Amino acid sequence: MRASCTIRTLLAGAVIGLMTASAVAQAPPGFSPLDKSNPAASRQDSNLKPHPTPPTPATADKLPVEKIKLPGGFKAEVWSSGHPGARTMVQGDKGTLFMGTRIIGRVYAITEKDGKREAKVLLQGLTQPNGLAFKDGSLYVFAINRVLRYDNIEDKLDSPGNPVELTDKFNLPDTVHHNWKYAAFGPDGKLYVQVGANCNICELNPGIHAQIRRYDADGSNMEIVARGVRNTVGFDWHPVTGELWFTDNGRDWAGDAGPEDELNRIAKGQEGANYGFPYCHANGVPDPDIKRPDPCAGVVLPAPIP
């Protein structure tokens, strides 16, 4: 009897394990198998596609800067070109412009001498090193699965050497989806880091994903300053109030009419507040796929537009 029960238990466990492995295998890379996206129900145009990206960067004379509409007194011009995939920028104390990428795994360094700018590949072979921050001569590089610090980097652009490994200190999740990092030092000297949702729309662990964190520069004393943030692609601090303002890219496949993306702020005394994901979006729009009673109760809604 016991042997039979044991065999049945082992078989059941194997079947469940295979089902779980199958669910994970069928999910897109980096997505949670609990993703509740339902494109067919959204009535969203499935034929929409992004603009094609050329395999090589356009030369400066091919960039249509003259078509950019700007307010009076402003002008757009090409400052540097020839470095594909650049997505984030941070400037060093000596004027070096560091640029992170998502897809091609590079970090660039752009220097200027005698009015001429030179771009070089500083680092390569990393997994989406999108997050860059700079402080006291050190460049912090946040990839999906690593956190690195390069000290005195502007004196070593030709040979950065081995970095200080901070991956274990920051203890960030290494799932891919919405986890390309944005990082910046705040006016309090703390290092703020985004941790996006590992799905389009799903219920997740609010202690791990969909948040903005802050740390001491060495990765210690982690605090969560905002929860329910699906995917912020940039943040900054108000120069007078010191409040943190951040964007949040909303979910896909909820229909052509919305919900809209968000611009949020963390008011004084609201550190750790909930900004809605995955239950509530935009100015109080309940999610059509992930439902719960009073989905927007206690949620901090986006900043009002003046």
Side-chain angles (χ1 to χ4, degrees):
M1 178 70 74
R2 289 181 181 176
S4 176
C5 289
T6 300
I7 291 172
R8 284 199 299 270
T9 301
L10 289 172
L11 287 174
V15 171
I16 292 172
L18 287 172
M19 290 173 63
T20 303
S22 175
V24 172
Q26 292 174 9
F31 281 66
S32 166
L34 301 178
D35 197 297
K36 299 296 184 181
S37 302
N38 191 353
S42 72
R43 299 182 182 178
Q44 193 164 312
D45 187 351
S46 60
N47 293 317
L48 293 175
K49 294 179 175 61
H51 293 291
T53 303
T56 56
T59 58
D61 61 312
K62 300 295 184 183
L63 299 175
V65 291
E66 71 281 354
K67 295 183 179 180
I68 299 175
K69 296 181 179 179
L70 297 169
F74 288 84
K75 180 180 71 171
E77 60 184 1
V78 177
W79 186 81
S80 179
S81 63
H83 27 70
R87 187 174 172 98
T88 55
M89 297 182 291
V90 65
Q91 193 164 34
D93 294 333
K94 298 181 180 180
T96 307
L97 187 66
F98 299 99
M99 306 174 75
T101 66
R102 260 189 58 202
I103 305 301
I104 63 176
R106 293 179 179 175
V107 175
Y108 299 102
I110 302 174
T111 56
E112 183 173 4
K113 184 177 181 180
D114 299 328
K116 294 183 179 180
R117 300 180 184 99
E118 177 187 359
K120 64 177 63 181
V121 177
L122 182 70
L123 308 170
Q124 58 185 340
L126 297 170
T127 304
Q128 300 192 27
N130 190 80
L132 302 180
F134 192 94
K135 185 175 178 61
D136 297 332
S138 297
L139 177 68
Y140 295 73
V141 179
F142 287 78
I144 292 287
N145 57 343
R146 298 186 72 185
V147 182
L148 309 172
R149 190 187 77 217
Y150 291 85
D151 295 331
N152 302 314
I153 185 64
E154 290 185 280
D155 295 330
K156 301 186 295 184
L157 296 178
D158 292 327
S159 181
N162 294 324
V164 177
E165 182 75 59
L166 296 173
T167 303
D168 291 342
K169 292 279 191 179
F170 280 86
N171 192 29
L172 294 163
D174 61 1
T175 45
V176 174
H177 198 57
H178 297 138
N179 235 341
W180 47 89
K181 300 294 185 295
Y182 286 84
F185 281 94
D188 54 4
K190 298 275 189 173
L191 184 49
Y192 289 68
V193 184
Q194 159 266 6
V195 181
N198 64 327
C199 60
N200 171 41
I201 185 69
C202 66
E203 293 192 273
L204 40 70
N205 185 335
I208 298 177
H209 289 100
Q211 58 190 228
I212 300 174
R213 303 179 181 182
R214 69 180 169 201
Y215 299 81
D216 289 346
D218 63 359
S220 61
N221 296 321
M222 189 275 283
E223 301 172 271
I224 300 174
V225 297
R227 304 174 191 270
V229 182
R230 179 180 177 271
N231 182 29
T232 178
V233 295
F235 46 76
D236 207 346
W237 288 264
H238 192 285
V240 177
T241 67
E243 293 173 335
L244 178 63
W245 289 68
F246 63 92
T247 66
D248 191 6
N249 281 8
R251 60 156 296 180
D252 303 318
W253 301 114
D256 292 333
E260 298 173 329
D261 297 335
E262 300 175 16
L263 177 62
N264 297 288
R265 73 183 179 108
I266 302 177
K268 290 183 179 179
Q270 283 191 332
E271 288 84 358
N274 175 23
Y275 290 82
F277 183 86
Y279 309 104
C280 178
H281 309 284
N283 281 304
V285 178
D287 192 86
D289 299 313
I290 306 263
K291 300 178 180 180
R292 73 173 183 183
D294 299 322
C296 296
V299 169
V300 178
L301 297 180
I305 298 175

